[in-house]
Amino acid sequence: MKWEQRALADCASFFSGGTPNKGRPEYWGGAIPWVSSGEMTSQFIKDTTLQITEEGLSAGSRLMPEGTIFTVVRGMSLATEFRVSYATAPMAFNQDLKALVAKEGIDPYFLFSALRSQATSIRDLATEAAHGTKKLEMERFQSFQILVPDLDTQIQVAKAIRNYDDLIENNQRRIALLEESAHLLYREWFLNLRFPGHESYPSVGGVPEGWARKSISDMVQINPKVAFEKDRIYPFVPMQALSECSMLIEDTEERAISGGAKFQNQDTLLARITPCLENGKTGFVQFLEEDKPVASGSTEFIVMRSESVSPYWVYCTARDEGFRKHAIGSMVGSDGRQRVNLKCFDSYFAFQPPENVLNDFDEKVEPMFKEIQLLSRMNQRLREARDALLPKLMSGEIQV
């Protein structure tokens, strides 16, 4: 089995994308996924926030087939990372990306894995561009060398890596389904008031007996005090550790507690600054260990803790569209640095359920929350194992 150095230009064809005119509504809202650099945060691209029409495609972009490798070659993100993603469906893309299609004799997933294994070295090729951004010059990128074995070996290596990726992806799908199930139950019980036995509850003005209409600040503690030991190292949660679509809090750090938010397990973290709140950054704390039951985080977090409801109810409320619109509508400050006005929690009202209904809800969703955290830890171990194996497989040090 012989491995040889080959330039990327010998392994893949490079394609450029583009952005259809934003002022032409006939170009947007179609059925063709359109990838921008901001969405290049996942290793696999399935769908996109924006879609274009056939007219938009012909007017300014390019459709690439499934199995295309997208890379970010321009933008702020290149200062810290080289983003590369694998398309699992045909899609178009913008001008900040390059699309790579494997040439004959090159396995697409092997090429994708090779780029991932060399991400730091490729990022270091980027040069300064306008307005503090970075740019990856095509001549340097296409000349970058990777080790390539024969096609059969490529396929074997790619299969070994994909086994890890598929397990991680499957767990991520399970996490998304579990979270959506919890939110559906919350909306059905506490917004639509179709909780178990609702038919037999007497009601006054459409409100079930025993359900009290209260402000969020009457049911939830906002930024509660947390005791901690000075000069001790605790977990620290930066803003980027919060997900835009999930309760998971990942990629935490270790720091001595000073300023910023302080919290404990079963607290909800809500981003209070624009655009983080609008983008959905919200987390549920359940990763802390017994020996370190306290953590700190960004000064731009609002900590929400259950007082007369349940922690799971609090998190689901923080993710609810109506609540988020209310919080966003309260934001004050200069453009680009607006923050939630904490008085908004006094003016947002919800129904506090009776204790038996809350207990029933907790009994159903608590296992979902715990399984989400378990799957997250499993994925972390899988990533660590894959990332340790990847450079050894891609260099030929370890044979499949």
Side-chain angles (χ1 to χ4, degrees), residues 334-357:
S334 59
D335 289 345
R337 302 298 295 175
Q338 291 189 320
R339 293 175 174 86
V340 171
N341 185 338
L342 296 184
K343 291 182 179 179
C344 76
F345 297 102
D346 299 332
S347 56
Y348 187 85
F349 291 84
F351 292 115
Q352 177 168 323
E355 187 175 351
N356 66 307
V357 176

mmCIF file of all heavy atoms in Angstrom, residues 334-357:
data_model
loop_
_atom_site.group_PDB
_atom_site.id
_atom_site.type_symbol
_atom_site.label_atom_id
_atom_site.label_comp_id
_atom_site.label_asym_id
_atom_site.label_seq_id
_atom_site.Cartn_x
_atom_site.Cartn_y
_atom_site.Cartn_z
ATOM 1 N N SER A 334 -27.845 50.525 22.077
ATOM 2 C CA SER A 334 -27.459 50.942 20.739
ATOM 3 C C SER A 334 -27.547 49.781 19.768
ATOM 4 O O SER A 334 -27.527 48.608 20.170
ATOM 5 C CB SER A 334 -26.032 51.493 20.754
ATOM 6 O OG SER A 334 -25.130 50.508 21.217
ATOM 7 N N ASP A 335 -27.629 50.084 18.491
ATOM 8 C CA ASP A 335 -27.707 49.050 17.460
ATOM 9 C C ASP A 335 -26.517 48.113 17.566
ATOM 10 O O ASP A 335 -25.373 48.540 17.692
ATOM 11 C CB ASP A 335 -27.717 49.689 16.065
ATOM 12 C CG ASP A 335 -29.030 50.399 15.778
ATOM 13 O OD1 ASP A 335 -29.994 50.140 16.526
ATOM 14 O OD2 ASP A 335 -29.084 51.204 14.836
ATOM 15 N N GLY A 336 -26.801 46.813 17.512
ATOM 16 C CA GLY A 336 -25.750 45.812 17.558
ATOM 17 C C GLY A 336 -25.350 45.415 18.960
ATOM 18 O O GLY A 336 -24.670 44.408 19.148
ATOM 19 N N ARG A 337 -25.744 46.194 19.973
ATOM 20 C CA ARG A 337 -25.422 45.863 21.366
ATOM 21 C C ARG A 337 -26.665 45.948 22.245
ATOM 22 O O ARG A 337 -26.587 46.272 23.432
ATOM 23 C CB ARG A 337 -24.347 46.814 21.904
ATOM 24 C CG ARG A 337 -23.050 46.818 21.124
ATOM 25 C CD ARG A 337 -22.358 45.468 21.138
ATOM 26 N NE ARG A 337 -21.911 45.081 22.453
ATOM 27 C CZ ARG A 337 -21.371 43.896 22.719
ATOM 28 N NH1 ARG A 337 -21.251 42.989 21.763
ATOM 29 N NH2 ARG A 337 -20.961 43.603 23.934
ATOM 30 N N GLN A 338 -27.814 45.653 21.699
ATOM 31 C CA GLN A 338 -29.042 45.709 22.485
ATOM 32 C C GLN A 338 -29.146 44.511 23.407
ATOM 33 O O GLN A 338 -28.727 43.396 23.062
ATOM 34 C CB GLN A 338 -30.250 45.768 21.555
ATOM 35 C CG GLN A 338 -30.361 47.079 20.790
ATOM 36 C CD GLN A 338 -31.672 47.198 20.060
ATOM 37 O OE1 GLN A 338 -32.162 46.238 19.485
ATOM 38 N NE2 GLN A 338 -32.256 48.384 20.087
ATOM 39 N N ARG A 339 -29.740 44.742 24.576
ATOM 40 C CA ARG A 339 -29.879 43.690 25.580
ATOM 41 C C ARG A 339 -31.313 43.651 26.105
ATOM 42 O O ARG A 339 -32.011 44.664 26.124
ATOM 43 C CB ARG A 339 -28.912 43.918 26.738
ATOM 44 C CG ARG A 339 -27.445 43.752 26.343
ATOM 45 C CD ARG A 339 -26.516 44.115 27.499
ATOM 46 N NE ARG A 339 -25.139 43.826 27.165
ATOM 47 C CZ ARG A 339 -24.333 44.658 26.513
ATOM 48 N NH1 ARG A 339 -24.799 45.838 26.105
ATOM 49 N NH2 ARG A 339 -23.080 44.326 26.257
ATOM 50 N N VAL A 340 -31.711 42.481 26.581
ATOM 51 C CA VAL A 340 -33.050 42.299 27.148
ATOM 52 C C VAL A 340 -33.208 43.163 28.395
ATOM 53 O O VAL A 340 -32.329 43.208 29.267
ATOM 54 C CB VAL A 340 -33.278 40.815 27.497
ATOM 55 C CG1 VAL A 340 -34.580 40.643 28.283
ATOM 56 C CG2 VAL A 340 -33.302 39.971 26.235
ATOM 57 N N ASN A 341 -34.326 43.846 28.486
ATOM 58 C CA ASN A 341 -34.677 44.584 29.691
ATOM 59 C C ASN A 341 -35.287 43.594 30.682
ATOM 60 O O ASN A 341 -36.313 42.965 30.395
ATOM 61 C CB ASN A 341 -35.690 45.683 29.338
ATOM 62 C CG ASN A 341 -36.021 46.576 30.518
ATOM 63 O OD1 ASN A 341 -35.849 46.193 31.672
ATOM 64 N ND2 ASN A 341 -36.504 47.773 30.230
ATOM 65 N N LEU A 342 -34.670 43.435 31.848
ATOM 66 C CA LEU A 342 -35.124 42.427 32.807
ATOM 67 C C LEU A 342 -36.548 42.671 33.305
ATOM 68 O O LEU A 342 -37.194 41.752 33.824
ATOM 69 C CB LEU A 342 -34.155 42.352 33.987
ATOM 70 C CG LEU A 342 -32.730 41.883 33.657
ATOM 71 C CD1 LEU A 342 -31.911 41.766 34.930
ATOM 72 C CD2 LEU A 342 -32.762 40.530 32.928
ATOM 73 N N LYS A 343 -37.058 43.884 33.141
ATOM 74 C CA LYS A 343 -38.440 44.159 33.549
ATOM 75 C C LYS A 343 -39.449 43.407 32.680
ATOM 76 O O LYS A 343 -40.620 43.302 33.047
ATOM 77 C CB LYS A 343 -38.712 45.660 33.483
ATOM 78 C CG LYS A 343 -37.955 46.460 34.531
ATOM 79 C CD LYS A 343 -38.308 47.943 34.453
ATOM 80 C CE LYS A 343 -37.569 48.735 35.526
ATOM 81 N NZ LYS A 343 -37.887 50.192 35.452
ATOM 82 N N CYS A 344 -38.974 42.880 31.540
ATOM 83 C CA CYS A 344 -39.903 42.162 30.658
ATOM 84 C C CYS A 344 -40.466 40.912 31.322
ATOM 85 O O CYS A 344 -41.540 40.440 30.959
ATOM 86 C CB CYS A 344 -39.222 41.800 29.337
ATOM 87 S SG CYS A 344 -38.070 40.416 29.430
ATOM 88 N N PHE A 345 -39.757 40.366 32.314
ATOM 89 C CA PHE A 345 -40.249 39.177 32.998
ATOM 90 C C PHE A 345 -41.435 39.502 33.894
ATOM 91 O O PHE A 345 -42.206 38.606 34.257
ATOM 92 C CB PHE A 345 -39.122 38.540 33.826
ATOM 93 C CG PHE A 345 -37.979 38.046 32.984
ATOM 94 C CD1 PHE A 345 -36.810 38.775 32.874
ATOM 95 C CD2 PHE A 345 -38.082 36.855 32.287
ATOM 96 C CE1 PHE A 345 -35.758 38.328 32.092
ATOM 97 C CE2 PHE A 345 -37.037 36.399 31.497
ATOM 98 C CZ PHE A 345 -35.869 37.141 31.399
ATOM 99 N N ASP A 346 -41.580 40.781 34.265
ATOM 100 C CA ASP A 346 -42.739 41.199 35.066
ATOM 101 C C ASP A 346 -43.992 41.336 34.215
ATOM 102 O O ASP A 346 -45.111 41.252 34.735
ATOM 103 C CB ASP A 346 -42.461 42.560 35.735
ATOM 104 C CG ASP A 346 -41.279 42.514 36.686
ATOM 105 O OD1 ASP A 346 -41.013 41.436 37.246
ATOM 106 O OD2 ASP A 346 -40.617 43.556 36.851
ATOM 107 N N SER A 347 -43.811 41.548 32.918
ATOM 108 C CA SER A 347 -44.960 41.846 32.060
ATOM 109 C C SER A 347 -45.323 40.706 31.112
ATOM 110 O O SER A 347 -46.193 40.878 30.254
ATOM 111 C CB SER A 347 -44.682 43.118 31.243
ATOM 112 O OG SER A 347 -43.499 42.998 30.495
ATOM 113 N N TYR A 348 -44.660 39.559 31.265
ATOM 114 C CA TYR A 348 -45.044 38.397 30.459
ATOM 115 C C TYR A 348 -45.777 37.418 31.374
ATOM 116 O O TYR A 348 -45.230 36.964 32.382
ATOM 117 C CB TYR A 348 -43.837 37.710 29.831
ATOM 118 C CG TYR A 348 -44.229 36.606 28.864
ATOM 119 C CD1 TYR A 348 -44.531 36.904 27.544
ATOM 120 C CD2 TYR A 348 -44.326 35.286 29.287
ATOM 121 C CE1 TYR A 348 -44.918 35.916 26.667
ATOM 122 C CE2 TYR A 348 -44.709 34.281 28.409
ATOM 123 C CZ TYR A 348 -45.003 34.599 27.095
ATOM 124 O OH TYR A 348 -45.393 33.612 26.223
ATOM 125 N N PHE A 349 -47.012 37.081 30.997
ATOM 126 C CA PHE A 349 -47.853 36.254 31.862
ATOM 127 C C PHE A 349 -48.081 34.875 31.244
ATOM 128 O O PHE A 349 -48.178 34.718 30.020
ATOM 129 C CB PHE A 349 -49.194 36.939 32.112
ATOM 130 C CG PHE A 349 -49.070 38.175 32.972
ATOM 131 C CD1 PHE A 349 -48.729 39.396 32.400
ATOM 132 C CD2 PHE A 349 -49.264 38.098 34.337
ATOM 133 C CE1 PHE A 349 -48.600 40.533 33.184
ATOM 134 C CE2 PHE A 349 -49.146 39.225 35.128
ATOM 135 C CZ PHE A 349 -48.808 40.458 34.554
ATOM 136 N N ALA A 350 -48.145 33.892 32.113
ATOM 137 C CA ALA A 350 -48.403 32.515 31.698
ATOM 138 C C ALA A 350 -49.255 31.859 32.780
ATOM 139 O O ALA A 350 -49.402 32.392 33.889
ATOM 140 C CB ALA A 350 -47.097 31.753 31.500
ATOM 141 N N PHE A 351 -49.789 30.699 32.456
ATOM 142 C CA PHE A 351 -50.602 29.967 33.426
ATOM 143 C C PHE A 351 -49.703 29.052 34.252
ATOM 144 O O PHE A 351 -48.979 28.218 33.710
ATOM 145 C CB PHE A 351 -51.672 29.136 32.726
ATOM 146 C CG PHE A 351 -52.732 29.959 32.055
ATOM 147 C CD1 PHE A 351 -52.872 29.947 30.680
ATOM 148 C CD2 PHE A 351 -53.588 30.750 32.811
ATOM 149 C CE1 PHE A 351 -53.842 30.702 30.063
ATOM 150 C CE2 PHE A 351 -54.566 31.515 32.199
ATOM 151 C CZ PHE A 351 -54.695 31.487 30.818
ATOM 152 N N GLN A 352 -49.762 29.237 35.581
ATOM 153 C CA GLN A 352 -49.062 28.298 36.456
ATOM 154 C C GLN A 352 -49.966 27.106 36.707
ATOM 155 O O GLN A 352 -51.057 27.250 37.248
ATOM 156 C CB GLN A 352 -48.679 28.937 37.787
ATOM 157 C CG GLN A 352 -48.021 27.895 38.712
ATOM 158 C CD GLN A 352 -47.375 28.518 39.918
ATOM 159 O OE1 GLN A 352 -46.796 29.591 39.826
ATOM 160 N NE2 GLN A 352 -47.461 27.845 41.058
ATOM 161 N N PRO A 353 -49.519 25.911 36.309
ATOM 162 C CA PRO A 353 -50.365 24.723 36.478
ATOM 163 C C PRO A 353 -50.390 24.265 37.933
ATOM 164 O O PRO A 353 -49.483 24.589 38.707
ATOM 165 C CB PRO A 353 -49.657 23.669 35.603
ATOM 166 C CG PRO A 353 -48.568 24.397 34.873
ATOM 167 C CD PRO A 353 -48.241 25.604 35.676
ATOM 168 N N PRO A 354 -51.398 23.507 38.309
ATOM 169 C CA PRO A 354 -51.399 22.911 39.643
ATOM 170 C C PRO A 354 -50.279 21.881 39.768
ATOM 171 O O PRO A 354 -49.748 21.380 38.770
ATOM 172 C CB PRO A 354 -52.780 22.261 39.739
ATOM 173 C CG PRO A 354 -53.255 22.112 38.336
ATOM 174 C CD PRO A 354 -52.615 23.198 37.550
ATOM 175 N N GLU A 355 -49.927 21.562 40.983
ATOM 176 C CA GLU A 355 -48.759 20.716 41.247
ATOM 177 C C GLU A 355 -48.882 19.340 40.603
ATOM 178 O O GLU A 355 -47.907 18.804 40.080
ATOM 179 C CB GLU A 355 -48.563 20.572 42.760
ATOM 180 C CG GLU A 355 -47.281 19.841 43.129
ATOM 181 C CD GLU A 355 -47.040 19.822 44.630
ATOM 182 O OE1 GLU A 355 -47.777 20.517 45.359
ATOM 183 O OE2 GLU A 355 -46.124 19.107 45.073
ATOM 184 N N ASN A 356 -50.071 18.754 40.607
ATOM 185 C CA ASN A 356 -50.213 17.402 40.055
ATOM 186 C C ASN A 356 -49.950 17.375 38.554
ATOM 187 O O ASN A 356 -49.368 16.426 38.026
ATOM 188 C CB ASN A 356 -51.607 16.840 40.377
ATOM 189 C CG ASN A 356 -52.728 17.599 39.691
ATOM 190 O OD1 ASN A 356 -52.814 18.816 39.812
ATOM 191 N ND2 ASN A 356 -53.591 16.899 38.975
ATOM 192 N N VAL A 357 -50.349 18.443 37.837
ATOM 193 C CA VAL A 357 -50.097 18.498 36.399
ATOM 194 C C VAL A 357 -48.603 18.688 36.129
ATOM 195 O O VAL A 357 -48.033 18.049 35.239
ATOM 196 C CB VAL A 357 -50.912 19.630 35.740
ATOM 197 C CG1 VAL A 357 -50.572 19.746 34.253
ATOM 198 C CG2 VAL A 357 -52.402 19.389 35.929
#
